[in-house]
Amino acid sequence: MNSSITRRTFLKAAGFTIAIAITPSGYKILSAKESEEAMGKGFSPNIWLRVMPDNSVIITVNKSEMGQGVYTSLPMIIADELEADWKRVKLEVAPAADGYRDPVWGAQATGGSSSIRHMYEPLRKAGAAAREMLVTAAAGVWNVPAAECEASQGTVKHSASKRTVTYGELVKPASALDVPKDPSLKKETQFRLIGTAVPRLDIVEKTDGSAKFGIDVMVSDMLYATVARPYAFGAKAEAVHDAMAKNVKGLKQIVHIDRGVAFCADTIEAAWQAKKATHIVWGKGADPDLSNETLAKSFEEYLPKDGVVARRDGDVQTALAAASVKLDARYYLPYLAHATMEPMNCTAHVQKDRCDIWAPTQNQTGTLMTAKRITGLAPEQIHVHTTYLGGGFGRRFEQDFVEEAVQTAKAVGRPVKVIWTREEDFQYDYYRPGNLSRIQAALDDKGNPTAWSHKIVCPSIFVRVFPDTMQKGIDNAAVEGLSNLEYDVPNVSVEYVRIDTPVPVGFWRSVGSSHNAFTVETFADELAYLAKKDPLKFRLDLLNKHPRAQRVLELAAEKAGWGKPPEKGIGRGIAYHLSFDSYVAQVADVSVDRKSGAIRVHRIVCAVDCGPVINTDTIKAQMMGGTIMGLSAALKESISFGRGKVLTENFDAYDLLRMSETPKIEVHIVKSDAKLGGIGEPGVPPAAPAVANAVFSAVGVRLRNLPMTPDAVLKALKVADGKA
Amino acid sequence: MISLKVNGKKHELDLSPDVPLVWVIREHLKLTGTKYGCGKGLCGSCTVHVAGKAVRSCQTSVGDAEGKEITTIEGIPEDHPLKKAWVKEQVAQCGYCQPGQIMQAAELLSGDKNPSEEAIIKAMDGNLCRCGTYPRIKTAIRFASKEGGK
Ligand code: FES
Ligand code: FES
């Protein structure tokens, strides 16, 4: 794409440079010299690592840092293979460019717990290639066989002659060499960084307040903007009365953009004041009566409809009909907001021949395309500057906030920072879809399941985001964790019923697994009790073909003291889930206040198998954070609808888990040789079912809807008491 | 004209006294370490010290802060036990809530050199963290209180 820019960068780049050309058929590691030639052949290699004459190593990261630690873990991979001196490693954030696309996706984006899974191999090869070249260069300088030289922490050593040379001193001769075709990778025992707890490279910035998030961007001559968006889903502005707004001091311009009306001013407070002074008459919108009740009713109405079959093993209907012991349960889960602590925002500057965007984005390719569509500029004229993200969780994959900033900036001709209020952030999200499941199962006389039928009614994310993946009308996100149900049951059916509502839906940390783990794992628990088996044993028996699942369940159970009775008043529950190629099991200890209905989670013991371990501390932090987000959703979160719109406005109506509600969390890592698994999301799914199962063990009631609020618990307790 | 004293430095600003302090600190003075999270006193991201007390700067008007000593995250010395503890415990994930967390914790430690678990939770419960760093925040505060006592 931007070979001219790249070429210039190469020429300017002092030091020894390694590039990677990411092409549709894979990736190629190239030296600066080879890159020059490759560009002539239409490749667009981009710089990934530079060894500088001052011995520093600059590593480019193509993924967004939103807390998950990629600004540390990705450089670790290169640095380890390179045998770099970690203290001299600096990181550089990649611009949006073809050469920085994810080699698996073909797009520059961060999500799906995939950063390490997709980048591990190319980054290792890049580091190893550079190391071999530095060793070859040193051997050349000393005129000794390369096999006698050894790379070690930023230097090459020749022990026979006791000579040492730093990487910085080898910049010139190494630059003249070709990249080895197949550099030998380190053995696991040779890793210095990979597999250890390396401190985050961004930790100081994120402690002293100097880390720059999107909302912190300052550009000279910049205006501030706020956008008035439709009152209800799909509503259009019928009249805009802005005469009063025009008197607001500092107001510069009012701009009509696709998503609403943007008020641009010298200060954000003036922009808000102008918005407040404007009266906009909105049309009715897509469904003026939309509310919690109408949504719940629609889901119910869709449940009996025929869906598409996402999985069919054997004959579920016959097996269900033949069985005498059966279980039939329904689960209703709410829409959720991302509630990143940094509200949506974006800064843009559109000029005749150049567009700059400063964005906390998870999706650089999407941002580039959005800007291209709006400005008509060529990709190489568009510069995407990725800032730190104050949380992402899938929300910042979307382009709505970018679109607003670019359209506004284009109209105004000056840089514009669009800031969303928290209220707007809650009301204009792409929500985790609400969903309704019905699960039916049958047990034989030994208590083994013979049939499992799972039907889910769920809006589709993919139909909007990746319509090409909708094979046979199945949204893979909606059925993840279901179509790959691991329990050994001879007759399985998974059916998906798509429901379209005006509520926009999007990726929310762990996506379909965020709801399907709850339904599957609480249902499995119920089945275990029905079969009069220990819930752990019941699961293990059904997972003989999945030893990794068994291992995390066993480890979490062992560390939690499963089998020994918990303290009086404590209920203990277990759950596991496979997502993003990682297995996570959790054991929850809870108590329930029968008077208030409040659930108190005392402890979560978590075991994770994500295959090879890159940074143990990142894994622990992500498991902890994922668990807490999972608990937050399980106990507290749900978006409220009414009058055709979202009613939820701020944290008073949508509180997140707080410190006082956070349990002790233990994380245990299973070392395995399995393929690399993700780590950002898989901590979320098992938390809710582990807690719900623990609630059952504590007070004997099954909670099949989320969130498990005190009211919901009280209601369930009342029903149970009434029956007793 | 409003005169503000932030981190020991005087500023003269021409703005209306009812502008929330958080926006003045962030956008006018460009001290962006102080964060906006909710604007309603519900999340603690905007916590700063005014006259030695931790306050939500989204709930404090710039007029009310006039003439008082204001400290933001940028005014906390680099070798402050809390900053050291935050680095040692690798608290931050996305990092957005952390300046507010640290300012809140700083007030706690200034009044109670060795806070109990309950005291920590009580002081910190108004500060949200979507990334779920609470366990490490607790550990870091405990570590800092030990360090600070030395
Ligand atoms: S921004 Fe002030 S408390 Fe949330
Ligand atoms: S570290 Fe991300 S919100 Fe606290």
Side-chain angles (χ1 to χ4, degrees):
Chain A
M1 176 199 65
N2 51 357
S3 58
S4 59
I5 294 171
T6 318
R7 193 185 306 270
R8 252 186 286 127
T9 320
F10 270 117
L11 293 177
K12 267 205 316 222
F16 161 48
T17 305
I18 292 287
I20 305 178
I22 291 175
T23 68
S25 56
Y27 63 89
K28 240 184 134 138
I29 315 278
L30 303 160
S31 68
K33 193 182 74 178
E34 290 168 319
S35 301
E36 284 283 322
E37 292 160 17
M39 275 184 283
K41 295 185 197 124
F43 283 155
S44 53
N46 278 79
I47 294 169
W48 290 74
L49 92 89
R50 242 175 302 164
V51 180
M52 305 303 283
D54 70 356
N55 291 316
S56 62
V57 174
I58 302 167
I59 293 174
T60 307
V61 177
N62 66 334
K63 296 285 177 178
S64 305
E65 176 59 65
M66 45 191 168
Q68 84 284 37
V70 285
Y71 279 9
T72 306
S73 51
L74 294 177
M76 276 170 70
I77 296 167
I78 288 192
D80 203 331
E81 282 293 351
L82 175 61
E83 260 303 313
D85 176 0
W86 181 248
K87 291 192 288 298
R88 304 305 310 271
V89 169
K90 291 185 200 148
L91 89 108
E92 200 172 74
V93 180
D98 274 358
Y100 292 117
R101 286 176 186 242
D102 178 294
V104 178
W105 285 342
Q108 192 177 343
T110 308
S113 297
S114 66
S115 297
I116 289 190
R117 290 189 288 159
H118 293 176
M119 297 312 302
Y120 190 53
E121 198 189 302
L123 296 186
R124 279 187 77 182
K125 287 243 170 88
R131 171 185 22 93
E132 277 197 14
M133 292 163 78
L134 289 159
V135 169
T136 307
V141 170
W142 291 326
N143 204 10
V144 297
E148 289 178 12
C149 302
E150 195 198 349
S152 170
Q153 305 224 54
T155 64
V156 180
K157 292 190 166 112
H158 184 246
S159 14
S161 63
K162 292 210 173 74
R163 277 179 293 189
T164 297
V165 58
T166 69
Y167 281 4
E169 293 167 308
L170 293 168
V171 159
K172 247 213 177 130
S175 297
L177 299 171
D178 286 343
V179 171
K181 284 240 149 37
D182 200 12
S184 62
L185 299 176
K186 278 187 174 182
K187 287 198 213 50
E188 208 185 306
T189 51
Q190 295 171 310
F191 287 149
R192 286 179 197 275
L193 302 166
I194 295 173
T196 68
V198 174
R200 301 177 66 113
L201 287 177
D202 56 6
I203 198 71
V204 173
E205 273 177 275
K206 285 183 174 177
T207 302
D208 66 15
S210 63
K212 291 281 176 270
F213 296 85
I215 202 168
D216 302 331
V217 166
M218 301 282 171
V219 183
S220 64
D221 200 33
M222 173 180 94
L223 292 176
Y224 290 86
T226 181
V227 178
R229 300 177 193 83
Y231 163 80
F233 294 120
K236 296 255 169 338
E238 286 173 353
V240 178
H241 304 289
D242 58 10
M244 301 285 284
K246 291 192 170 137
N247 299 329
V248 170
K249 192 177 148 221
L251 179 81
K252 282 285 170 327
Q253 207 169 325
I254 299 175
V255 183
H256 291 250
I257 58 174
D258 288 351
R259 291 176 43 83
V261 182
F263 298 81
C264 307
D266 290 333
T267 63
I268 187 66
E269 55 271 16
W272 281 326
Q273 210 189 331
K275 179 159 79 174
K276 218 167 136 199
T278 300
H279 177 60
I280 302 179
V281 183
W282 295 104
K284 270 200 164 31
D287 177 1
D289 298 324
L290 182 106
S291 67
N292 293 341
E293 292 70 31
T294 64
L295 277 169
K297 199 160 148 260
S298 308
F299 279 89
E300 288 289 347
E301 281 165 8
Y302 271 69
L303 191 60
K305 293 192 184 189
D306 284 333
V308 279
V309 174
R311 172 169 169 186
R312 178 173 286 151
D313 303 354
D315 181 350
V316 162
Q317 287 318 319
T318 308
L320 279 174
S324 56
V325 187
K326 281 184 257 193
L327 188 60
D328 186 342
R330 283 174 184 219
Y331 301 85
Y332 188 54
L333 280 72
Y335 287 85
L336 298 177
H338 295 83
T340 57
M341 285 313 298
E342 178 193 19
M344 295 305 109
N345 65 82
C346 181
T347 305
H349 187 200
V350 180
Q351 301 172 76
K352 224 203 266 111
D353 52 359
R354 181 183 171 106
C355 170
D356 283 273
I357 300 160
W358 296 265
T361 176
Q362 284 178 248
N363 182 357
Q364 287 78 7
T365 299
T367 299
L368 195 74
M369 292 306 161
T370 302
K372 183 173 164 233
R373 173 171 58 77
I374 296 167
T375 62
L377 293 172
E380 53 268 29
Q381 295 173 302
I382 300 166
H383 304 271
V384 178
H385 313 275
T386 305
T387 63
Y388 279 118
L389 282 61
F393 317 120
R395 177 62 181 90
R396 292 192 150 100
F397 183 84
E398 304 294 347
Q399 294 304 311
D400 49 345
F401 53 97
V402 174
E403 183 187 303
E404 288 179 356
V406 177
Q407 281 187 346
T408 307
K410 186 182 167 198
V412 172
R414 276 171 70 176
V416 177
K417 173 154 80 172
V418 177
I419 300 175
W420 292 34
T421 62
R422 173 60 60 197
E423 286 79 4
E424 293 164 344
D425 196 82
F426 269 119
Q427 301 211 294
Y428 301 96
D429 199 348
Y430 289 86
Y431 305 89
R432 195 290 300 271
N435 54 94
L436 175 67
S437 280
R438 180 184 181 192
I439 321 180
Q440 295 166 269
L443 295 176
D444 66 15
D445 49 8
K446 288 193 199 71
N448 294 318
T450 53
W452 182 303
S453 154
H454 199 133
K455 190 171 187 183
I456 179 168
V457 181
C458 187
S460 172
I461 302 169
F462 276 102
V463 76
R464 172 180 62 89
V465 181
F466 299 124
D468 297 352
T469 67
M470 293 283 291
Q471 302 228 346
K472 291 192 281 180
I474 299 168
D475 182 303
N476 282 322
V479 295
E480 70 189 353
L482 307 179
S483 49
N484 58 332
L485 181 81
E486 294 189 312
Y487 292 127
D488 201 355
V489 182
N491 302 290
V492 176
S493 119
V494 175
E495 216 182 311
Y496 170 59
V497 183
R498 181 175 136 196
I499 179 171
D500 294 333
T501 83
V503 183
V505 293
F507 300 119
W508 188 95
R509 197 174 187 179
S510 82
V511 197
S513 290
S514 74
H515 45 85
N516 293 337
F518 176 74
T519 58
V520 165
E521 281 298 292
T522 50
F523 188 82
D525 214 69
E526 223 171 312
L527 269 187
Y529 279 92
L530 192 63
K532 301 200 171 50
K533 292 188 184 175
D534 170 70
L536 169 67
K537 174 87 171 55
F538 180 77
R539 287 177 171 82
L540 293 175
D541 287 348
L542 295 175
L543 289 167
N544 284 322
K545 292 180 193 137
H546 301 281
R548 292 176 71 201
Q550 290 179 322
R551 183 85 189 89
V552 289
L553 278 163
E554 280 167 344
L555 183 66
E558 180 205 317
K559 299 288 182 188
W562 191 268
K564 290 178 217 129
E567 270 172 62
K568 201 173 164 302
I570 300 280
R572 189 166 281 165
I574 193 163
Y576 101 96
H577 192 71
L578 162 66
S579 59
F580 309 96
D581 292 336
S582 289
Y583 283 90
V584 179
Q586 292 179 359
V587 174
D589 282 8
V590 314
S591 59
V592 178
D593 180 347
R594 285 182 173 269
K595 258 209 212 97
S596 68
I599 297 170
R600 161 124 216 118
V601 184
H602 299 271
R603 185 186 65 168
I604 298 273
V605 177
C606 171
V608 51
D609 173 358
C610 59
V613 168
I614 310 302
N615 188 330
T616 50
D617 197 55
T618 307
I619 294 175
K620 286 190 181 149
Q622 285 308 297
M623 282 299 118
M624 231 180 251
T627 303
I628 289 171
M629 191 154 166
L631 291 175
S632 187
L635 299 172
K636 301 177 84 169
E637 298 179 26
S638 87
I639 282 289
S640 240
F641 301 92
R643 305 194 302 274
K645 61 180 245 172
V646 169
L647 298 177
T648 309
E649 290 197 325
N650 212 316
F651 293 120
D652 45 357
Y654 193 105
D655 200 19
L656 310 178
L657 204 76
R658 290 178 183 267
M659 187 186 272
S660 59
E661 300 160 310
T662 300
K664 233 194 233 121
I665 302 172
E666 276 174 37
V667 179
H668 302 278
I669 300 171
V670 175
K671 292 244 156 70
S672 89
D673 315 323
K675 76 169 175 181
L676 263 173
I679 211 62
E681 294 164 274
V684 178
V691 167
N693 295 339
V695 168
F696 177 76
S697 120
V699 290
V701 297
R702 284 286 170 199
L703 298 170
R704 300 203 184 96
N705 302 336
L706 292 180
M708 297 179 264
T709 58
D711 278 353
V713 174
L714 280 183
K715 224 159 121 200
L717 283 170
K718 253 191 214 134
V719 172
D721 287 348
K723 269 188 206 148
Chain B
M1 274 295 172
I2 288 184
S3 69
L4 277 191
K5 197 166 167 207
V6 183
N7 302 330
K9 220 173 128 192
K10 281 228 171 79
H11 304 268
E12 298 289 320
L13 294 153
D14 177 19
L15 34 80
S16 149
D18 57 3
V19 178
L21 184 59
V22 60
W23 298 108
V24 178
I25 290 173
R26 289 181 43 79
E27 310 296 333
H28 292 266
L29 303 182
K30 300 192 171 28
L31 293 168
T32 53
T34 302
K35 301 300 191 221
Y36 162 79
C38 71
K40 292 276 156 67
L42 302 165
C43 77
S45 304
C46 64
T47 306
V48 299
H49 295 180
V50 177
K53 281 251 160 310
V55 303
R56 307 293 187 231
S57 61
C58 70
Q59 298 300 294
T60 310
S61 68
V62 63
D64 282 348
E66 182 161 21
K68 296 179 187 151
E69 202 77 46
I70 300 167
T71 309
T72 69
I73 186 73
E74 290 88 351
I76 300 287
E78 231 170 272
D79 61 351
H80 190 284
L82 279 170
K83 279 192 178 170
K84 288 198 287 186
W86 244 249
V87 170
K88 177 175 174 289
E89 295 301 329
Q90 297 281 301
V91 174
Q93 289 188 26
C94 86
Y96 193 78
C97 73
Q98 300 301 341
Q101 306 275 8
I102 293 172
M103 295 311 289
Q104 188 65 38
E107 187 202 41
L108 170 68
L109 290 192
S110 71
D112 181 353
K113 294 274 174 275
N114 192 15
S116 63
E117 164 106 10
E118 291 69 46
I120 294 176
I121 290 173
K122 191 160 168 262
M124 302 305 296
D125 220 31
N127 288 69
L128 289 175
C129 174
R130 185 50 148 174
C131 299
T133 63
Y134 305 124
R136 289 188 177 187
I137 290 174
K138 255 199 253 174
T139 321
I141 293 175
R142 265 194 236 109
F143 181 79
S145 67
K146 268 189 248 139
E147 280 283 286
K150 268 180 200 168

